[in-house]
């Protein structure tokens, strides 16, 4: 990439971050997030529509199909900003569905999804902690984020050696919903293909790529939450006094904060490297290894950083009224989405050329 192209890319990413600030101000009030907790559908449909109007749902969809046609660098930058604001709207899941609809060649639902007028969720997961979509026709599909607000489900179904894609209206396939630690919800459905419409005979390769991208974007969302919680913690260390001194001057706490800062830097480097690798066109094992390295680090580091931030706040950090605890709750829910740290470490070991036999 030439210097001019690098400058253009940096400007594109900067503009994406600026656009995110309009809906998710950095360091903003979290009252909206608190008000949406443990409610149905768990997110603001009006704000989801605004995300569509700003082109976020179709960020990875080609321009010819109504999307923005941007790269993973831009998508990860957006997710990072949203993670810092704890945005509960299911943008990552909606973006996956948008890419599948675009790839399927049936675009009826795509325009309304890109506009944020409906929520379409992809019901691919049959068991915990996997990135594989078996497509068992009658198997329950689980762990659908914000499923109580879905209008349609996309269901991959194994037909011979291919993975077909069906669309089911949520009204004919009502999800069973369970609350999550952060106040959102996850749903399960049992697909009734008689009620569905077949969109594609083979969506397998696109789904595999889409799940990799969703894992990487989830890592970026976790990074945004880590950074915001760490910033809150530094502010606390700089103002809280004990024994007549600002506690941030205590060497032991400085060492702990320095370790957290290192975790943030390593996570950012891993995510940015993975986004650049995918945007450069990596395929196969190189693609999977880059994603897994980033997601494993983000999943593990997010829980470490968030727990340390709670402890560095002392007793107030454990209260639900104090905002730093919201970031730990969110990390507990999202760290395992699109694969846990354990799964991705295992996949990295199996796919990375850096690992010697």
């Amino acid at each position: 990439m030439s210097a001019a192209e690098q400058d253009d890319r940096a400007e594109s990413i900067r503009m994406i971050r600026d656009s995110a600030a309009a809906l998710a101000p950095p360091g903003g009030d979290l009252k909206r997030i608190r008000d949406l907790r443990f409610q149905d559908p768990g997110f603001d449909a009006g704000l989801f529509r605004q995300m569509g109007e700003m082109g976020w749902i179709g960020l990875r969809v080609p321009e010819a199909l109504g999307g923005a046609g941007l790269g993973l660098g831009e998508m990860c930058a957006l997710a990072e900003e949203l993670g810092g604001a704890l945005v509960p709207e299911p943008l990552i899941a909606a973006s996956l569905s948008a890419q599948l609809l675009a790839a399927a060649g049936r675009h009826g639902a795509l325009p309304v999804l890109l506009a944020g007028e409906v929520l379409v969720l992809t019901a691919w997961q049959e068991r915990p902690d996997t990135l594989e979509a078996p497509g068992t026709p009658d198997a329950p599909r689980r762990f659908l984020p914000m499923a109580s607000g879905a209008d349609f489900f996309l269901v991959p179904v194994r037909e011979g050696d291919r993975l077909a894609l069906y669309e089911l209206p949520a009204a004919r396939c009502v999800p069973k919903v369970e609350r999550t630690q952060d106040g959102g919800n996850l749903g399960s459905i049992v697909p009734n293909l008689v009620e569905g419409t077949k969109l594609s005979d083979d969506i397998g390769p696109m789904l595999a790529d889409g799940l990799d991208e969703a894992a990487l974007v989830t890592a970026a969302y976790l990074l945004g939450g880590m950074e915001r919680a760490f910033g809150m913690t530094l502010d606390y260390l700089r103002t809280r006094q004990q024994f007549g001194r600002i506690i941030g001057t205590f060497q032991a706490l400085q060492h702990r904060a320095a370790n957290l800062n290192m975790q943030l830097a390593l996570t950012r480097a891993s995510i940015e490297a993975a986004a650049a690798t995918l945007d450069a066109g990596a395929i196969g094992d190189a693609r999977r290894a880059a994603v897994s390295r980033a997601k494993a680090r983000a999943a593990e580091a997010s829980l470490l950083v968030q727990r340390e931030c709670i402890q560095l706040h002392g007793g107030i950090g454990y209260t639900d009224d104090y905002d730093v605890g919201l970031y730990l709750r969110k990390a507990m829910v999202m760290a395992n989405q699109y694969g846990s740290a354990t799964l991705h470490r295992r996949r990295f070991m199996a796919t990375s050329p850096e690992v010697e036999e």
Side-chain angles (χ1 to χ4, degrees):
M1 185 181 293
S2 68
E5 289 174 329
Q6 289 177 349
D7 289 343
D8 289 344
R9 189 67 185 279
E11 178 63 13
S12 174
I13 291 174
R14 185 193 65 78
M15 292 176 65
I16 286 290
R17 292 187 184 277
D18 288 346
S19 73
L23 297 186
D29 191 330
L30 295 180
K31 182 179 184 304
R32 182 183 84 89
I33 308 305
R34 290 185 174 279
D35 290 344
L36 289 169
R37 291 195 305 165
F38 306 110
Q39 306 294 322
D40 286 328
F43 64 93
D44 184 340
L47 188 61
F48 185 71
R49 190 174 301 110
Q50 286 183 264
M51 290 180 171
E53 293 169 357
M54 297 182 76
W56 294 355
I57 299 172
L59 203 70
R60 295 284 295 135
V61 172
E63 291 183 80
L65 298 177
L70 296 179
L72 265 298
E74 288 86 351
M75 190 68 187
C76 285
L78 173 60
E80 184 186 333
E81 297 298 318
L82 300 184
L86 291 180
V87 169
E89 284 70 27
L91 178 66
I92 299 172
S95 177
L96 171 63
S97 296
Q99 292 181 72
L100 292 181
L101 286 172
R106 290 284 297 271
H107 313 312
L110 183 60
V112 287
L113 172 58
L114 295 182
E117 296 174 6
V118 299
L119 174 58
V120 182
L121 298 177
T122 302
W124 61 276
Q125 193 169 359
E126 297 178 24
R127 60 181 177 83
D129 201 16
T130 181
L131 277 182
E132 302 295 329
T136 311
D138 56 352
R141 308 304 168 89
R142 308 181 187 279
F143 312 113
L144 292 156
M146 298 301 183
S148 63
D151 299 285
F152 295 94
F153 297 108
L154 299 181
V155 183
V157 177
R158 181 68 57 185
E159 295 181 349
D161 60 351
R162 296 182 177 182
L163 202 59
L165 187 69
Y166 287 78
E167 180 185 84
L168 291 172
R172 299 295 184 89
C173 194
V174 179
K176 179 181 178 182
V177 173
E178 297 181 4
R179 300 293 182 191
T180 53
Q181 179 72 23
D182 64 340
N185 61 82
L186 292 174
S188 302
I189 64 169
V190 178
N192 181 2
L193 299 182
V194 175
E195 303 286 351
T197 301
K198 190 174 184 179
L199 302 184
S200 174
D201 290 325
D202 188 12
I203 204 68
M206 182 61 239
L207 178 58
D209 287 350
L211 291 175
D212 276 344
E213 292 192 11
L216 180 57
V217 177
T218 299
Y221 186 103
L222 288 167
L223 173 61
M226 292 159 60
E227 290 181 319
R228 177 65 185 126
F230 182 60
M232 294 169 63
T233 303
L234 289 182
D235 289 342
Y236 182 80
L237 294 178
R238 290 166 181 153
T239 56
R240 175 79 167 114
Q241 292 192 28
Q242 194 172 33
F243 308 117
R245 293 176 58 190
I246 300 294
I247 63 173
T249 63
F250 298 161
Q251 191 174 59
L253 298 188
Q254 290 176 352
H255 288 169
R256 292 173 70 177
N259 180 59
L260 298 186
N261 193 44
M262 181 183 68
Q263 294 293 332
L264 288 170
L266 291 172
T267 302
R268 172 175 294 284
S270 186
I271 291 170
E272 290 181 351
T277 297
L278 269 60
D279 284 340
I283 60 174
D285 282 353
R287 176 188 179 94
R288 288 186 283 273
V291 169
S292 285
R293 178 171 57 188
K295 181 57 166 64
R297 175 163 289 283
E300 198 163 68
S302 64
L303 293 175
L304 185 154
V305 169
Q306 300 295 1
R307 287 170 176 149
E308 279 286 293
C309 286
I310 293 288
Q311 291 182 18
L312 287 169
H313 274 84
I316 194 173
Y318 289 87
T319 64
D320 187 65
D321 291 338
Y322 198 73
D323 284 347
V324 75
L326 298 179
Y327 288 89
L328 174 59
R329 290 174 180 269
K330 179 64 73 174
M332 291 169 66
V333 172
M334 295 199 68
N336 289 337
Q337 287 187 1
Y338 303 104
S340 68
T342 299
L343 180 146
H344 281 286
R345 278 198 300 270
R346 186 182 304 122
R347 196 174 76 149
F348 177 78
M349 294 292 291
T351 58
S352 175
E354 301 173 16
V355 179
E356 297 182 356
E357 295 292 339

